[in-house]
Amino acid sequence: MTDVVIAGIGQTEVGEHWDIGLRDLAFAAIQDAVKDAGGLRPQSLFVGNMLAPNLSNQAHLGVLIADFAGLIGIEAVTLEAAGASGGAALRQGYLAVASGMVDVALVIGVEKFTDKVGSGVDAALSTTSDSDFEAIHGMTPASQAALLMKRYIHDYEVPEHGFAGFALTAHANGVANRNAMFRKAIKPETYAKAEMVSDPLNMFDMAPNADGAAALVLTRRDLLPSEFHHPLVKIAGSAASSDTLALHDRKDMLFFDTAQISAGKAMKQANLIFENIDLFEYHDTFSIYAALQLEAVGFAVKGKGWKLAADGEIGLQGTIPCATMGGMKARGFPGGAAGVYQAVDAVIQLRGQAEANQVPDAKIALIQSLGGPASTAVSHILQRLD
Amino acid sequence: MTDVVIAGIGQTEVGEHWDIGLRDLAFAAIQDAVKDAGGLRPQSLFVGNMLAPNLSNQAHLGVLIADFAGLIGIEAVTLEAAGASGGAALRQGYLAVASGMVDVALVIGVEKFTDKVGSGVDAALSTTSDSDFEAIHGMTPASQAALLMKRYIHDYEVPEHGFAGFALTAHANGVANRNAMFRKAIKPETYAKAEMVSDPLNMFDMAPNADGAAALVLTRRDLLPSEFHHPLVKIAGSAASSDTLALHDRKDMLFFDTAQISAGKAMKQANLIFENIDLFEYHDTFSIYAALQLEAVGFAVKGKGWKLAADGEIGLQGTIPCATMGGMKARGFPGGAAGVYQAVDAVIQLRGQAEANQVPDAKIALIQSLGGPASTAVSHILQRLD
């Protein structure tokens, strides 16, 4: 099989786009990605979206976007797996090209949180948990993450403000990313004084819901146009895994099985081990998720993921740079687009186009997109071809 | 590439399942399909669902279902393309197996309309049309289909009750299908006297929204277990296409481009022409859709699709049997499950297991799943291997 490569990337600024709609956001990212890919025309469109049927009263996004982007006629479908919708769209695009049935696939993630305000957003987010056994009792993703964090702090005797390193790193990396929602570095005191959302989870332990769209053009290596001039990045590994939807059904809620399984499969396919990975774009909607992913993949032993962040090892010069363009914490969390932004960020790093945020000699990236508390995990290994 | 085959089929009765939830319906269909496939264990789950985030306040169905069905660990994702969600799930399952990355894929379509009642259902259905330009003005799928039907009747001078043949055929075929919602044949007088929904579209010109789940196990031919004893059915062709979301943007709203394009591509892949097709499971949520699909695929010239039904040519002994197990009209329309039911029905026919509904010597079936007024069309050719 020929390599499946990422020929084009595109993204909009992440933030609050009150003045434009879902289709406008999507189109902006698509335009950039198609241009970046030397004008390759896609045959299939895979849309990653998490909540538009509730947030924007809009389903059938595949056609909505294909129509608006002037791509009428092509295959178009939406992929949903809660917060992992972007990762799921990338994986389906990858499978389509790998099958040989589709030459050029366009993967787009899009979300518009500002189409709803107030408790409507929490109600929409709660549809991603178990409606009959969790949401009905008032559980939201943030309150669930807080319970998980509390248990982690208790079991592993994490000192006060032990999780600060995740937010500090993300915000430091967001400064130079012109598409990030927050471009201001924060100090340890800022984290320490932050307003509590759901004890022990504070404002800086969670990513802000935001609007945004990111796009990728996938193709086979032999189909690249002569106009393509970037260092080439291939998808070397792709895998997804599921766990119980409800946290209370887990044997060990402090270990993200799906993060381990999906990353393990993707690394096996790529013939790599975790020591080969130059950067890790984790799914840091909550700092506790970031810690648990570092442990699941193997970068830290159980109970020590937070320490890696506290010790500065996830910084751009650390042993395993994470959230290198600001992550979901500082770039913002545009729902079903988040997993596609991870891929865009990783490609920028692997092409050596990250400027102030460049991870030195980055060749291999792991990206991981989560739905719920790792009820879904989708992992991809992206690799620069020299 | 080895053939991708349908190794197992499963379905629940279509109807109003007030007493059980989405996950229960899905599990029942999965159990049947896995058993039918000789116990093959799936690695990936592709869920076709249209409206659960609105109807059932439940997103993240992939994990919900994998969890409940005892399949924790496998890849699980939801596919949405309005009414074509079931067809889209089948196509993604097909691409996954065709890629060689997935050995056994489980495709499930599920919907539970009874989780919502009254105008909530119309509001949910309207999210599949253009929220900003159609739904906001009160357009529903039924009122849209009525406009289309009115234009068709005007342009082609269709006589009064000219569309009756679609409902008469579907209801006749539903009688012997123990999973159909309606199992009573109707007379021409019943159609003629039917209550008007949106002039000229009456109660018998539209399929009833219903609850149901259907499942398919896909694998490669060389991986079939020794326990598999059915006549073998392969997926010989698969394609999808998009048109404008809004009807008012079409050059010719009385021709379903996507139905033609996707069926044409699927037939080309299968190396077949429409004359080779033994039965056609069309997407008869509205009788006008059925007429336009017959014309788009080539079974009738423009303006004469209704005549094929009126002349009895779509019956089990006709030139092109359609809705052979009752179609969406008599079996019921369980949203995102509908496209998977089409495949289940076609496999039953191709295996020769359709009993009273058997199409004589059925070898090749075309199934077509629509989203909106053919804004999305997904077509598959299923073929019996002797």
Side-chain angles (χ1 to χ4, degrees), chain A residues 131-270:
Chain A
S131 174
D132 293 344
F133 295 100
E134 296 184 318
I136 205 167
H137 300 293
M139 172 93 86
T140 62
S143 64
Q144 190 181 49
L147 290 172
L148 201 55
M149 191 172 168
K150 195 156 207 159
R151 178 62 178 262
Y152 184 99
I153 289 173
H154 173 269
D155 282 13
Y156 299 131
E157 298 174 4
V158 180
E160 199 181 10
H161 313 317
F163 280 86
F166 295 106
L168 290 169
T169 306
H171 280 274
N173 293 345
V175 173
N177 179 359
R178 66 177 177 281
N179 291 306
M181 187 168 186
F182 297 124
R183 303 189 53 188
K184 207 172 149 186
I186 62 163
K187 293 179 182 160
E189 307 89 85
T190 318
Y191 178 89
K193 285 187 301 190
E195 200 178 335
M196 203 55 76
V197 174
S198 180
D199 182 42
L201 186 145
N202 77 28
M203 284 284 284
F204 284 98
D205 288 309
M206 63 186 290
N209 299 325
D211 306 334
L216 304 165
V217 176
L218 311 185
T219 190
R220 295 198 312 272
R221 191 179 185 172
D222 56 303
L223 297 175
L224 280 172
S226 57
E227 292 81 3
F228 183 83
H229 293 305
H230 298 293
L232 195 54
V233 174
K234 79 164 180 172
I235 299 175
S238 171
S241 178
S242 62
D243 202 342
T244 64
L245 188 54
L247 217 43
H248 58 245
D249 287 331
R250 308 255 172 104
K251 278 198 302 278
D252 177 3
M253 68 172 76
L254 290 182
F255 195 80
F256 277 176
D257 283 348
T258 57
Q260 182 184 49
I261 293 168
S262 63
K265 280 188 183 172
M267 290 189 286
K268 190 178 170 199
Q269 184 189 343

Side-chain angles (χ1 to χ4, degrees), chain A residues 32 47 57 63 87 93 119 130 135 226-227 234 252 337 355 373 379:
Chain A
D32 282 359
V47 180
N57 295 319
V63 165
S119 64
D130 192 317
S226 57
E227 292 81 3
K234 79 164 180 172
D252 177 3
E355 301 177 358
S379 296

Side-chain angles (χ1 to χ4, degrees), chain A residues 59 74-75 91 127 130 242, chain B residues 23 59 74-75 91 127 130 242:
Chain A
I74 70 168
E75 169 179 20
R91 176 153 164 78
T127 62
D130 192 317
S242 62
Chain B
R23 67 189 93 192
I74 70 169
E75 169 178 23
R91 176 153 163 79
T127 63
D130 193 317
S242 63

Side-chain angles (χ1 to χ4, degrees), chain B residues 315-339:
Chain B
L316 296 176
Q317 312 295 330
T319 51
I320 180 62
C322 295
T324 64
M325 303 295 284
M328 298 180 193
K329 178 67 202 81
R331 189 225 296 112
F333 174 63

